[in-house]
């Protein structure tokens, strides 16, 4: 589990991706990614956790914008 958490964290930091995208890439659920990143990773690699947290905080701040764009595309048929 530690190895998976570390691979997930590195993927998120390198690609500046979302939890959803990481879950899809690794074939696991979003809740598993979240648990690995938020609970397991800080126990053995605090520095990497802080890098991932920074990326996820940016994603969280932009979440409402991405949702609006998706809604616009849905109703415009694009």
């Amino acid at each position: 589990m530690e190895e998976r958490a570390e691979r997930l964290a590195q993927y998120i930091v390198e690609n500046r991706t979302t939890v959803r995208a990481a879950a899809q890439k690794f074939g696991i659920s979003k809740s598993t990614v979240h648990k690995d990143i938020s609970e397991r990773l800080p126990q053995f690699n605090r520095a990497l956790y802080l890098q991932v947290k920074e990326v996820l905080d940016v994603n969280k701040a932009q979440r409402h914008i991405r949702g609006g764009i998706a809604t616009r595309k849905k109703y415009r048929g694009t």
Side-chain angles (χ1 to χ4, degrees):
M1 282 196 259
E2 290 178 358
E3 183 181 323
R4 180 181 66 200
E6 197 163 325
R7 284 186 300 153
L8 282 165
Q10 288 173 347
Y11 178 78
I12 290 172
V13 170
E14 289 171 4
N15 298 296
R16 304 205 57 86
T17 189
T18 61
V19 168
R20 182 179 296 227
Q24 189 173 20
K25 169 76 175 168
F26 286 85
I28 55 179
S29 71
K30 292 182 301 183
S31 59
T32 302
V33 172
H34 182 71
K35 185 170 185 126
D36 282 352
I37 297 300
S38 64
E39 294 179 16
R40 295 186 178 116
L41 187 63
Q43 294 176 358
F44 64 89
N45 194 338
R46 183 81 176 159
L48 185 56
Y49 166 73
L50 294 174
Q51 291 177 343
V52 173
K53 185 172 175 358
E54 190 176 306
V55 172
L56 296 181
D57 287 345
V58 169
N59 288 342
K60 188 174 181 182
Q62 295 174 348
R63 179 172 54 191
H64 67 284
I65 296 168
R66 285 193 306 269
I69 291 169
T71 301
R72 182 182 307 143
K73 285 181 179 180
K74 176 182 176 182
Y75 288 106
R76 285 192 176 169
T78 332

